[in-house]
Amino acid sequence: MELVTVYLEDALDEPARLGMEQHLACCGECGHRLDQFRAVIGVLGALPSEEDLRGDVRDRLLSAFRDRHRRGA
């Protein structure tokens, strides 16, 4: 799922994009997570860049995502 933001920004090269789409087509869990990312982006209005976030906010968000990923949620 590390590539999700790059995928959503349409910044992957064609082979990586096709690989991501193939994976999403057969992996329901990743498809569900992608839908969740899209919902969050819809609420936020745009995908913030790292520069848009204060350092402490960015660090807390990254930590929360890593902890959630480790727990398998």
Side-chain angles (χ1 to χ4, degrees):
M1 291 308 295
E2 290 91 21
L3 295 175
V4 169
T5 56
V6 180
Y7 175 75
L8 289 172
E9 291 174 340
D10 198 27
L12 292 174
D13 61 23
E14 187 172 350
R17 182 183 53 79
L18 291 173
M20 181 76 152
E21 290 172 353
Q22 287 175 344
H23 177 76
L24 290 168
C26 67
C27 181
E29 182 178 340
C30 287
H32 178 70
R33 289 191 181 181
L34 180 64
D35 291 341
Q36 289 176 327
F37 270 87
R38 285 184 172 137
V40 169
I41 292 167
V43 170
L44 293 175
L47 196 59
S49 70
E50 287 187 35
E51 295 81 28
D52 293 337
L53 298 174
R54 290 190 336 247
D56 62 321
V57 173
R58 180 185 164 278
D59 292 343
R60 286 190 326 219
L61 284 171
L62 288 173
S63 178
F65 285 127
R66 285 186 193 112
D67 289 346
R68 186 172 171 98
H69 179 72
R70 282 187 206 116
R71 290 192 314 256

